[in-house]
Amino acid sequence: MTIVINIVVSVAVIILLQTLGMLIFSWMTPFRDMDELRKGNMAVGLALGGKFLATAIILGVAAYTNTSIWFMMIWFAVGYVCLIAAYWIFELVTPGLK
């Protein structure tokens, strides 16, 4: 029974972290992701998919390499900060690509 509880809690934390990561990414963009998607903007859809996949990869590695939920959350935060830093560095290096 303990294994089932651990899996349920782990999945709940993973869903929460993925949602939080995507929310932070949507705050960082100069446009409203969902409004642009409703308008049919394919470029925003591709960008949002890339952000989702990048966040999921970091979360997957954090979940796979840690046995503790707390350590998984800490290493996800470290990886996510690195992802955000890389995103901003790319934005600074490529000012003509908006």
Side-chain angles (χ1 to χ4, degrees):
M1 188 66 177
T2 305
I3 294 172
V4 173
I5 293 171
N6 284 341
I7 290 172
V8 169
V9 170
S10 296
V11 169
V13 169
I14 287 170
I15 291 171
L16 177 71
L17 289 174
Q18 181 72 23
T19 304
L20 182 65
M22 292 308 298
L23 184 64
I24 292 170
F25 253 133
S26 71
W27 288 339
M28 289 175 35
T29 55
F31 48 84
R32 295 191 171 260
D33 294 332
M34 291 303 153
D35 291 343
E36 291 296 321
L37 283 176
R38 283 187 199 100
K39 292 177 189 175
N41 191 335
M42 292 290 277
V44 171
L46 291 171
L48 191 63
K51 293 172 187 176
F52 185 87
L53 187 59
T55 305
I57 289 170
I58 292 171
L59 188 54
V61 170
Y64 182 74
T65 58
N66 292 291
T67 56
S68 166
I69 293 175
W70 294 111
F71 286 134
M72 178 189 72
M73 292 169 60
I74 290 169
W75 283 110
F76 172 73
V78 169
Y80 197 74
V81 167
C82 292
L83 178 66
I84 297 293
Y87 178 80
W88 283 112
I89 289 169
F90 183 77
E91 288 289 317
L92 290 173
V93 172
T94 58
L97 298 175
K98 293 290 180 191

